[in-house]
């Protein structure tokens, strides 16, 4: 969806008010409030023109709706779990190339994504390591593979600016239990 929101930028910043209002209605009816999160992420885009268009697009949404619009880049974590799992901390998407590996072994990116999705699914109640392992690995799991994957998830969070603080606050991992605190993310 992030690339689709970029398609709306010229329409949301169009000089004719009717075009702005109609494109805003289509964008919000199609994507809901998630569209605002993606527009806010564009406020940190490396391209100056995209940042300017995103700011104007948010102003157009504010003008066309009664939604509360925040005019600063998205802060926090946003996770998409329908379809392919995608996670963003701030305006940066967590990706395999940002995955930190331990010297003792490798955690696969798909297992890290599966672990993240299962932790979101469990919500505030969290999950035991065994339940997590059954959900992500099925019958073929080991305590060391679960530990590597949880460590890789924590290290991946720590790789983004402000990630160390985020990981320490949002992610609880102990010998028997793990939890991603819902106070720290949107999904």
């Amino acid at each position: 969806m992030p690339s689709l929101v970029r398609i709306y930028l010229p329409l949301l910043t169009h000089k004719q008010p009717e075009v702005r209002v109609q494109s805003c209605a289509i964008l919000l009816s199609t994507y809901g409030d998630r569209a605002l999160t993606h527009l806010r992420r564009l406020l940190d885009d490396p391209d100056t023109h995209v940042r300017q268009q995103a700011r104007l697009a948010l102003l157009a949404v504010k003008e066309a709706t009664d939604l509360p619009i925040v005019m600063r880049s998205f802060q926090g974590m946003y996770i998409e779990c329908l379809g392919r799992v995608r996670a963003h901390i701030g305006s940066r998407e967590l990706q395999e190339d940002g995955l930190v590996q331990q010297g003792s072994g490798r955690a696969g990116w798909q297992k890290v994504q599966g672990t993240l999705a299962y932790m979101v699914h469990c919500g505030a109640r969290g999950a035991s390591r065994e339940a997590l392992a059954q959900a992500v690995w099925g019958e073929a799991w080991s305590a060391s593979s679960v530990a590597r994957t949880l460590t890789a998830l924590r290290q991946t969070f720590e790789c983004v600016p402000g990630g160390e603080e985020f990981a320490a606050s949002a992610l609880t991992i102990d010998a028997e239990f793990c939890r991603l605190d819902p106070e720290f993310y949107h999904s």
Side-chain angles (χ1 to χ4, degrees), residues 113-151:
Q113 288 178 311
T115 298
L116 181 61
Y118 186 72
M119 292 174 82
V120 169
H121 168 74
C122 291
R125 70 182 185 279
S128 68
R129 282 186 181 226
E130 184 174 339
L132 171 68
Q134 288 292 325
V136 176
W137 282 265
E139 297 298 321
W141 66 276
S142 68
S144 63
S145 61
V146 174
R148 271 193 309 274
T149 302
L150 289 170
T151 299

Side-chain angles (χ1 to χ4, degrees), residues 4-5 22 69 82 91 105 107 113 126 129 134 156 165 170:
L4 291 177
V5 170
Q22 288 297 320
I69 303 300
L82 295 176
S91 60
Q113 288 178 311
R129 282 186 181 226
Q134 288 292 325
T156 301
E165 182 180 317

Side-chain angles (χ1 to χ4, degrees), residues 53-75:
Q53 279 192 307
R55 191 170 320 284
L56 292 173
L58 284 167
L59 288 172
V61 172
K62 185 176 184 177
E63 179 182 290
T65 68
D66 59 353
L67 295 173
I69 303 300
V70 179
M71 297 300 291
R72 65 179 186 285
S73 62
F74 179 77
Q75 301 298 312

Side-chain angles (χ1 to χ4, degrees), residues 39-47 51 54-55 72-75 90-92:
L39 282 173
R40 287 179 58 202
R41 267 198 217 112
L42 293 176
L43 293 174
D44 279 343
D45 195 89
D47 185 343
R51 287 194 310 265
R55 191 170 320 284
R72 65 179 186 285
S73 62
F74 179 77
Q75 301 298 312
S91 60
R92 293 191 53 199

Side-chain angles (χ1 to χ4, degrees), residues 75-79 88-90 94 116 153-154 156-158 160-172 180-181 183-186:
Q75 301 298 312
M77 184 171 195
Y78 182 76
I79 304 169
H88 300 265
I89 296 180
L94 299 181
L116 181 61
L153 180 62
R154 177 180 298 281
T156 301
F157 284 176
E158 291 173 350
V160 298
E164 286 182 26
E165 182 180 317
F166 175 80
S169 302
L171 195 57
T172 302
L180 182 61
D181 189 338
E183 294 293 319
F184 290 89
Y185 67 87
H186 305 281

